[in-house]
Amino acid sequence: MHTILTGVRVNEEPTIGNFLGAYTPMINLSREHAEDSHTNFFVPDLHSFTTPIDHSKLYDQTIKGIKYYMAAGLDTNSPNVHIYRQSRVPAHSELCWILDCFTPYGEACRMTQFKEKGAEHPDAVTVGLFNYPVLMAADILLYDADYVPLGEDQFQHLELARNIAIRMNNKFDEKLFTLPAPEKEQVKFMHLENGIRIRSLTEPTKKMSKSAENEKSKILLCDEPKQAAKKIMSATTDSEGVIRFDMINQPGISNLLTIEALLTNRDIQDVIADWAGQTSYGDLKRKVADSVMYFLSDFQERLNQISDADVEAVLQKGEAYANEVANKKLRQVQKAVGLYK
Ligand code: TYM
């Protein structure tokens, strides 16, 4: 059995960038590999406060995050689907410390996201923010995950996890950790040409980010569908006057074509061909706005049908499984480093 694993932080409301970059590939893969793979979809709640948050909301947001996973279409009745909270599996934090001691400081310093987030929060650069990618490595390596569906922005962290695993396997035992597949193989496994990067609607050279202050730059999964459609209608485009897929010169238009393809589950090349040469940006925006409205209405309807009791049942099963698997791996590592015989 393979393991396909991913997590989405829920300290802020997830965006359609999170949905299209991580949820959709995860759910498609989980269906495609229902018989031959475990699907681990967890909420990295310990990762939620690497930058300052309102802690009185964290617990409820985590439960809501689990509801989002369920509403997105994971088959929670499958014996191979496991949903859990990172904080309920203490092995994650324990393994993180051990991995820390095999992570060169210089390598951790190179993480782009640390530099970017550090610049966004200059007064609150904590050791937790710095250590975030190592905890992420523990999340992955504890379960011998082969495939980790991620948006393009997280591939550098996956590479770090691979490097730590290679280093420890070389030192202790070749079979200590399963190496998650490298970026190219991951992308191929997700049936994509490149990693997914949904752009900001107002500044399309940047990624759509749930922490962005400008509400118009992002579509949240909880947005009222008509409001979300308005955001698409006011998305920044360009003055070229013709619809083309060109991320360099027409990032806004290319972003809309990407969103349309992913939301309607169509091949991006087919969507590009449909619109090639057309000149009305308004028509394209209306089509994408309709797709967004349809998607959000459908998603939110499913979300409203999930109760706290449903979440409780799913977590009970998922957290028992996760602790069993993670504790076994942790003990193997503790033995390798000499803490146990
Ligand atoms: P997070 O919560 O920032 O984002 C969750 C997932 O959404 C993807 N994503 C995007 N994809 C496409 N376009 C965008 N604009 C966009 N914005 C976000 C991210 O790439 C990610 O896949 N460190 C992770 C959470 C995590 C994790 C893990 C993931 C913790 N441990 C172990 C996998 C395995 C994070 O903060 O993602």
Side-chain angles (χ1 to χ4, degrees), residues 5-11 15-23 42-44 47 86 92 113 117 132-133 135-140 148-155 157-158 195-200 206-210 262:
L5 173 150
T6 205
V8 179
R9 280 176 311 136
V10 290
N11 45 310
T15 66
I16 56 162
N18 297 127
F19 194 90
L20 299 174
Y23 285 66
F42 73 102
V43 173
H47 274 113
Q86 183 187 41
H92 289 238
Q113 202 176 62
K117 290 228 177 213
Y132 164 125
L135 178 58
M136 183 166 162
D139 300 336
I140 296 169
V148 188
L150 289 167
E152 193 227 9
D153 62 309
Q154 292 289 324
F155 280 127
H157 294 161
L158 182 68
I196 296 173
R197 186 182 185 85
I198 301 298
R199 313 294 183 111
S200 154
K206 297 188 177 159
K207 80 162 182 174
M208 183 182 287
S209 164
K210 49 187 173 235
L262 290 168

Side-chain angles (χ1 to χ4, degrees), residues 42-274:
F42 73 102
V43 173
D45 50 353
L46 292 170
H47 274 113
S48 290
F49 45 97
T50 49
T51 50
I53 61 159
D54 177 352
H55 287 267
S56 66
K57 294 193 177 142
L58 180 58
Y59 185 89
D60 290 340
Q61 274 169 331
T62 303
I63 298 298
K64 197 165 162 196
I66 307 278
K67 287 187 181 172
Y68 280 175
Y69 288 178
M70 294 166 73
L74 264 192
D75 177 9
T76 50
N77 292 321
S78 161
N80 295 336
V81 169
H82 316 288
I83 299 183
Y84 51 93
R85 289 163 289 189
Q86 183 187 41
S87 66
R88 299 306 192 271
V89 189
H92 289 238
S93 311
E94 292 204 37
L95 182 64
C96 177
W97 174 257
I98 298 177
L99 301 186
D100 273 337
C101 301
F102 296 91
T103 307
Y105 174 70
E107 195 174 345
C109 284
R110 284 200 291 276
M111 296 297 114
T112 312
Q113 202 176 62
F114 171 67
K115 292 189 225 162
E116 284 175 2
K117 290 228 177 213
E120 271 172 40
H121 302 271
D123 303 329
V125 180
T126 62
V127 175
L129 182 65
F130 181 64
N131 208 19
Y132 164 125
V134 185
L135 178 58
M136 183 166 162
D139 300 336
I140 296 169
L141 299 178
L142 267 180
Y143 300 89
D144 286 322
D146 311 89
Y147 295 103
V148 188
L150 289 167
E152 193 227 9
D153 62 309
Q154 292 289 324
F155 280 127
Q156 193 186 26
H157 294 161
L158 182 68
E159 200 51 38
L160 180 76
R162 277 176 55 83
N163 289 344
I164 298 172
I166 291 170
R167 204 171 296 119
M168 291 185 71
N169 284 1
N170 285 342
K171 187 170 173 73
F172 298 110
D173 172 1
E174 254 175 45
K175 293 202 191 99
L176 186 59
F177 292 122
T178 297
L179 292 188
E183 176 178 342
K184 268 198 185 145
E185 243 179 80
Q186 300 274 353
V187 169
K188 207 165 136 202
F189 188 67
M190 292 192 267
H191 307 294
L192 295 168
E193 286 167 29
N194 296 299
I196 296 173
R197 186 182 185 85
I198 301 298
R199 313 294 183 111
S200 154
L201 296 177
T202 48
E203 287 177 273
T205 51
K206 297 188 177 159
K207 80 162 182 174
M208 183 182 287
S209 164
K210 49 187 173 235
S211 57
E213 275 177 19
N214 186 348
E215 289 300 323
K216 285 189 173 169
S217 72
K218 55 190 178 184
I219 291 186
L220 304 176
L221 295 183
C222 63
D223 272 350
E224 204 277 306
K226 279 195 184 137
Q227 259 337 91
K230 277 192 190 151
K231 292 184 191 177
I232 295 286
M233 294 308 294
S234 66
T236 301
T237 50
D238 54 67
S239 53
E240 302 266 322
V242 60
I243 297 174
R244 265 189 306 244
F245 189 87
D246 176 350
M247 270 300 178
I248 309 290
N249 299 307
Q250 297 189 260
I253 289 292
S254 306
N255 194 36
L256 292 176
L257 290 168
T258 306
I259 293 173
E260 173 67 9
L262 290 168
L263 277 183
T264 54
N265 225 345
R266 294 184 64 205
D267 193 314
I268 179 77
Q269 296 306 336
D270 293 341
V271 174
I272 294 170
D274 280 357

Side-chain angles (χ1 to χ4, degrees), residues 270-282:
D270 293 341
V271 174
I272 294 170
D274 280 357
W275 290 92
Q278 296 198 41
T279 52
S280 170
Y281 288 3

